[in-house]
Amino acid sequence: MLELKNVGKVYRTERLETQALEGINLKVRPGDFLAVMGPSGSGKSTLLHLLGLLDQPTQGMVELDGRQVMDHDDVTLSHLRNEMLGFVFQSFHLVADLSVLDNVEIPLLYRPLSNRVRRDLALRSLGRVGLSSRVHHYPSQLSGGQQQRVAIARAIVGSPRILLADEPTGNLDSQTGEEIIAILEELNRKEGMSVVMVTHDQRFAERTHRIIRLFDGRQIN
Amino acid sequence: MLRSYLLLAWKVLRRRPFFTATSLFGIAFTLSVLTVASALYESIANPGEPLTRAGRVLGVYDVRGLGPHMCVFSSPGYGLLDRCARSLPGAEKVTVFGKGEPMTSFLEGRKIVSQFRRTDGAYWELLQFRFLEGAPFTADDDSTGAFVAVVNATTRRRFFGSEPATGKSIVLGGRTYRVVGVVKDVPITCPEGYADVWTPIGTSLTPDRQKSYLGGYQCLVLAHSRADFANLRAEFARRVAEVQIPDQQELQTLTAALESRQAYVARGTFNTEIGRDMSARLSFAVFFVMLLFMTLPAINLVNLTMSRVLERSSEIGIRRAFGASARSLIGQFLVENLVLTGIAGIAGLLLAAVLLSIVNRSGLVPYAHFGIDLRVFLDGLALALFFGLWSGVYPAWRMSRMDPIRALQGRLS
Ligand SMILES: Nc1ncnc2c1ncn2[C@@H]1O[C@H](COP(=O)(O)OP(=O)(O)OP(=O)(O)O)[C@@H](O)[C@H]1O
Ligand SMILES: [Mg+2]
């Protein structure tokens, strides 16, 4: 479904050239649950951004359903992100000015839906992460674990095929982290959603189907 | 789509009361000042009643006389206008009338000062006054020097209370006039039509005055169409050049011209010679000053908006990640800005209406009835819209070019 072929990424600044990724080959199939591990600076986030169509590789290619992603313009790429992908970040990234419900509705704003349908989908999604009682709160009124659950509700509200999570438990204690992983596992198992998760925690990684280890931008297996 | 943009804009603005209030106040204040200015400008440029046909009207406002030892600049005299303008071929109507002067009356011990103007009969045909009762005096009244008068509503109230005035007499400057008609008050912003009492020129036309070339009068010429302006001007100039000035030692040449009101106002502003039309330059200057006046608050708003964009960079990154294209983000942002300036625009218009009604009631401008008519309202709306786009486009453009990853990480400068 989503495939990286011999992908490399070089960051160029005025003085520095960083080879963040090199020669990565990776396939994400329907129903996969993958963990990405590696020391800090090894390119995990960069890999996730490439998978999430937020960035373009400097070598190799990213293919979605057999089509080169680089060929698409901004509007098509945005559309693909909207339909296919969901993101969960380490620091939650909720919009502080919007209520929980409005935050969860964000991906649906870019689809031709009525307000009512949007609202219903968002409420259902919040129900799935167990936050039905907090829909009118603002992010600052929630605990870290609750915020991350809102973020997951937002990531899955549009029924994406692939969920990309960059250290989703990084800012949480192990008990709360455990709850988050359980939600991801369930989404993967019950709904067949593909999940790619960056993590530093060996225990969480072992619960996935496959571990991709990065070191200095290269895959080591 | 637009509906959810609007809803979103409303939510965001409500959550940022300080930002919203500051921007709103800045824009509303600027717009209200500009709207007041535009209302004043409109009332002078397009005075409406009684000068409803201003577009086809030319006037003689000033004369310059030049002699070996002196140079005189004044309003034209009756004789000059009577000879050179009265019978201009091709004009639909020509009126010669006095510039007006204050005149005192005493009524039951009270002193009443009225603005008094002498006119011919054509005055009432060229200008379109609204008569509340009676009728204007005629060219015959003028030529026979009948002691009749038209008064305005305020004068009727001062002299007769709530009674009708037609047929009654009033005493001004020691002379008695019979009132033949009452017109609606005309504000001073239409100087050609402004007065409290009008009487025929014939009541005071001495042989001297009949011949005078300088002082006290002006005239308006109504053309069939603006296409005739050139011919009328040329013929008038030719006649003025042919005038034989009796008092040869003092003055040798006279200069006067048929001018549009705008040209007259522009000439006064730029202090140029009679007959030079600087009205285009005046319009440009007015536009430029308005633009300048708007620039400061606009820059301020751009600044505020820009810092808001940077502050919200993480939100922008999030929206990009979840499928907003750069284009739709620009749309959302512009809608947000337009909602802001729209609300401010309405507030500004209300404020302007209040300011204008204060001016109207203060009596600072006699008989003023400045208001926000459709034209001024549209001016204000256009201004608000212009403001909203102006201050939103640059931040929106910057926003659309943000790299979503950097935006998410908050690493934008
Ligand atoms: N925008 C950028 N410009 C320049 N260099 C960058 C940029 N983003 C990342 N890098 C570099 O690319 C390399 C990989 O970064 P990346 O963020 O992918 O690492 P990571 O594995 O996610 O690390 P961490 O575990 O600390 O999050 C690092 O050396 C980093 O400094
Ligand atoms: Mg990282």
Side-chain angles (χ1 to χ4, degrees):
Chain A
M1 171 167 53
L2 188 56
E3 189 171 3
L4 303 186
K5 287 184 171 168
N6 196 28
V7 156
K9 175 77 188 178
V10 179
Y11 285 112
R12 286 192 184 84
T13 51
E14 295 104 57
R15 283 184 287 153
L16 236 63
E17 236 182 52
T18 318
Q19 181 88 40
L21 286 176
E22 201 180 341
I24 304 287
N25 288 291
L26 178 65
K27 259 187 193 164
V28 183
R29 298 187 192 83
D32 268 352
F33 193 178
L34 308 182
V36 180
M37 296 194 75
S40 181
S42 57
K44 307 181 294 294
S45 294
T46 307
L47 179 69
L48 228 59
H49 294 151
L50 290 174
L51 287 172
L53 313 183
L54 286 169
D55 207 355
Q56 305 272 9
T58 44
Q59 298 126 36
M61 51 180 117
V62 182
E63 285 185 4
L64 184 65
D65 295 331
R67 252 202 92 178
Q68 257 252 55
V69 161
M70 277 223 258
D71 297 343
H72 296 305
D73 62 5
D74 177 61
V75 173
T76 318
L77 276 177
S78 304
H79 186 70
L80 285 173
R81 279 201 293 274
N82 185 257
E83 294 277 325
M84 309 273 296
L85 301 162
F87 296 85
V88 177
F89 307 95
Q90 177 176 353
S91 49
F92 323 136
H93 281 320
L94 300 175
V95 180
D97 285 339
L98 297 179
S99 70
V100 163
L101 192 58
D102 287 331
N103 262 288
V104 175
E105 280 188 23
I106 287 178
L108 303 179
L109 287 178
Y110 308 105
R111 295 186 185 180
L113 299 172
S114 73
N115 284 338
R116 218 201 147 72
V117 171
R118 224 177 262 151
R119 188 119 301 202
D120 289 347
L121 285 173
L123 285 171
R124 199 178 311 160
S125 187
L126 279 164
R128 273 153 72 182
V129 298
L131 270 181
S132 296
S133 58
R134 296 281 193 279
V135 294
H136 294 301
H137 285 58
Y138 282 87
S140 57
Q141 300 165 326
L142 300 179
S143 73
Q146 287 171 329
Q147 290 190 45
Q148 195 60 301
R149 281 194 275 164
V150 175
I152 294 176
R154 177 177 64 186
I156 62 173
V157 71
S159 312
R161 281 154 65 183
I162 305 171
L163 192 65
L164 301 167
D166 196 345
E167 300 187 46
T169 61
N171 282 7
L172 305 172
D173 60 55
S174 59
Q175 170 64 34
T176 323
E178 175 62 41
E179 287 168 28
I180 296 297
I181 298 296
I183 294 174
L184 296 181
E185 266 180 333
E186 192 183 303
L187 285 169
N188 174 252
R189 200 156 24 86
K190 284 201 181 152
E191 318 201 2
M193 205 178 279
S194 309
V195 179
V196 181
M197 171 178 73
V198 172
T199 181
H200 283 294
D201 195 316
Q202 185 67 30
R203 284 177 306 132
F204 293 152
E206 274 164 6
R207 285 158 69 171
T208 65
H209 306 163
R210 193 149 49 105
I211 302 178
I212 291 124
R213 289 183 194 277
L214 292 181
F215 190 83
D216 246 359
R218 289 164 204 270
Q219 239 166 317
I220 44 169
N221 278 55
Chain B
M1 202 63 162
L2 188 68
R3 236 191 89 181
S4 53
Y5 279 177
L6 284 172
L7 217 70
L8 207 67
W10 175 240
K11 283 175 185 161
V12 170
L13 294 176
R14 230 186 33 190
R15 281 281 286 174
R16 309 234 157 189
F18 182 71
F19 165 82
T20 308
T22 344
S23 321
L24 275 180
F25 181 78
I27 309 167
F29 183 74
T30 310
L31 287 179
S32 69
V33 170
L34 287 173
T35 308
V36 167
S38 135
L40 299 186
Y41 179 81
E42 286 291 348
S43 74
I44 292 168
N46 301 294
E49 262 178 38
L51 196 48
T52 41
R53 295 177 287 192
R56 282 197 282 136
V57 166
L58 293 174
V60 183
Y61 298 90
D62 296 303
V63 186
R64 197 188 54 175
L66 202 60
H69 306 298
M70 65 186 294
C71 174
V72 187
F73 194 85
S74 87
S75 51
Y78 184 84
L80 180 75
L81 296 174
D82 194 40
R83 273 186 61 169
C84 303
R86 177 83 78 193
S87 58
L88 272 177
E92 186 179 325
K93 290 231 149 45
V94 177
T95 169
V96 175
F97 51 98
K99 282 181 72 79
E101 57 200 295
M103 196 69 88
T104 313
S105 326
F106 291 92
L107 192 72
E108 292 156 7
R110 270 184 307 132
K111 182 175 158 187
I112 298 174
V113 179
S114 308
Q115 189 64 24
F116 185 84
R117 192 196 282 281
R118 294 186 173 87
T119 80
D120 58 10
Y123 183 82
W124 303 102
E125 293 162 16
L126 195 151
L127 295 168
Q128 295 175 314
F129 284 85
R130 187 168 305 181
F131 274 81
L132 303 176
E133 55 174 286
F137 54 78
T138 61
D140 276 351
D141 292 328
D142 184 29
S143 56
T144 59
F147 277 80
V148 290
V150 172
V151 302
N152 67 357
T154 297
T155 305
R156 175 175 66 179
R157 186 168 42 71
R158 281 176 183 158
F159 282 84
F160 309 107
S162 51
E163 309 267 298
T166 310
K168 296 180 179 154
S169 20
I170 60 173
V171 181
L172 287 121
R175 298 167 95 171
T176 307
Y177 301 85
R178 186 170 51 84
V179 176
V180 291
V182 178
V183 295
K184 230 179 106 190
D185 289 344
V186 174
I188 198 168
T189 47
C190 177
E192 294 90 343
Y194 165 71
D196 294 310
V197 179
W198 294 260
T199 61
I201 295 174
T203 53
S204 70
L205 201 59
T206 59
D208 254 7
R209 186 175 284 173
Q210 204 156 7
K211 278 186 283 178
S212 78
Y213 290 95
L214 296 175
Y217 285 82
Q218 67 188 93
C219 89
L220 292 177
V221 175
L222 177 68
H224 288 287
S225 87
R226 295 175 66 92
D228 296 338
F229 278 7
N231 284 338
L232 290 168
R233 282 196 175 108
E235 175 61 15
F236 179 75
R238 198 185 58 73
R239 290 181 177 196
V240 171
E242 276 181 1
V243 166
Q244 295 292 315
I245 307 161
D247 202 351
Q248 280 291 350
Q249 288 128 14
E250 301 215 340
L251 293 177
Q252 289 168 334
T253 56
L254 287 178
T255 316
L258 273 173
E259 298 174 298
S260 66
R261 296 177 92 239
Q262 290 93 315
Y264 167 58
V265 173
R267 183 159 58 73
T269 313
F270 295 115
N271 202 10
T272 52
E273 308 141 43
I274 294 173
R276 256 183 89 180
D277 188 350
M278 309 286 274
S279 54
R281 191 190 282 195
L282 181 63
S283 307
F284 181 76
V286 168
F287 177 75
F288 187 75
V289 168
M290 299 248 288
L291 203 67
L292 213 66
F293 189 77
M294 272 207 289
T295 302
L296 212 66
I299 289 175
N300 198 21
L301 189 63
V302 168
N303 245 327
L304 268 169
T305 325
M306 205 53 226
S307 64
R308 184 169 51 123
V309 165
L310 292 178
E311 195 184 316
R312 284 166 69 187
S313 64
S314 129
E315 175 190 340
I316 292 161
I318 292 162
R319 292 189 184 278
R320 294 285 274 143
F322 283 105
S325 61
R327 211 189 289 165
S328 67
L329 272 186
I330 292 184
Q332 181 206 329
F333 189 77
L334 285 183
V335 167
E336 220 175 282
N337 226 44
L338 282 177
V339 167
L340 191 72
T341 43
I343 296 174
I346 291 165
L349 275 174
L350 289 178
L351 190 64
V354 170
L355 288 175
L356 286 174
S357 86
I358 290 174
V359 170
N360 286 346
R361 254 181 284 159
S362 71
L364 246 97
V365 183
Y367 308 135
H369 48 79
F370 299 123
I372 298 187
D373 55 9
L374 187 68
R375 207 169 160 145
V376 176
F377 178 77
L378 290 181
D379 281 357
L381 219 61
L383 282 170
L385 211 71
F386 177 75
F387 220 81
L389 288 176
W390 214 100
S391 61
V393 164
Y394 173 70
W397 177 76
R398 282 282 304 269
M399 193 164 104
S400 72
R401 289 179 44 109
M402 281 179 183
D403 170 12
I405 299 165
R406 292 175 66 92
L408 271 173
Q409 293 163 340
R411 281 196 287 140
L412 293 162
S413 49

